[in-house]
Amino acid sequence: MIKHIVMWNVSGETPEEKRRTALIVKEKFEALADQIPGLKKLEIGIDSSRISYACDVVLYSEFVDADALRSYVDHPLHLRVKADLEGMRISRHQVDYHVQDL
């Protein structure tokens, strides 16, 4: 299994604008659940801490293997979400790591 975690800061001049943008990101990615082969779990969270160094949104997902993650990256539904969110995400951080199934 491979875990794929992405964190973004989103656009918005005020906290309310940023929250609205974060909700759009959440909605778009949640629509991918059960739509991508090999994607076992997808979870989106919006930061509630509001500390200065926190990211606004986090995507946590699990894939059956690295091939499934690579397929997700180029999957038409994922590419559509990326296009729909163009300009809404202003910074991005990512970690992918393998987990040995016991």
Side-chain angles (χ1 to χ4, degrees), residues 15-96:
E16 184 53 39
E17 286 176 2
K18 289 176 79 72
R19 176 143 179 85
R20 281 196 302 267
T21 303
L23 287 169
I24 292 168
V25 172
K26 179 176 172 56
E27 176 185 318
K28 293 286 187 177
F29 274 98
E30 284 178 340
L32 297 177
D34 301 321
Q35 302 297 312
I36 310 282
L39 174 59
K40 295 173 56 172
K41 181 176 184 175
L42 183 137
E43 185 177 296
I44 301 282
I46 297 174
D47 178 61
S48 60
S49 72
R50 302 209 174 174
I51 54 178
S52 63
Y53 54 84
C55 291
D56 300 315
V57 181
V58 63
L59 163 72
Y60 171 85
S61 53
E62 296 176 359
F63 293 86
V64 295
D65 57 25
D67 289 336
L69 175 56
R70 280 190 290 276
S71 293
Y72 162 79
V73 170
D74 294 323
H75 192 281
L77 293 175
H78 178 243
L79 293 175
R80 184 178 322 147
V81 167
K82 285 178 63 175
D84 288 349
L85 298 175
E86 184 68 35
M88 290 185 198
R89 297 167 297 160
I90 56 177
S91 67
R92 182 180 189 279
H93 307 276
Q94 176 177 325
V95 174
D96 296 328

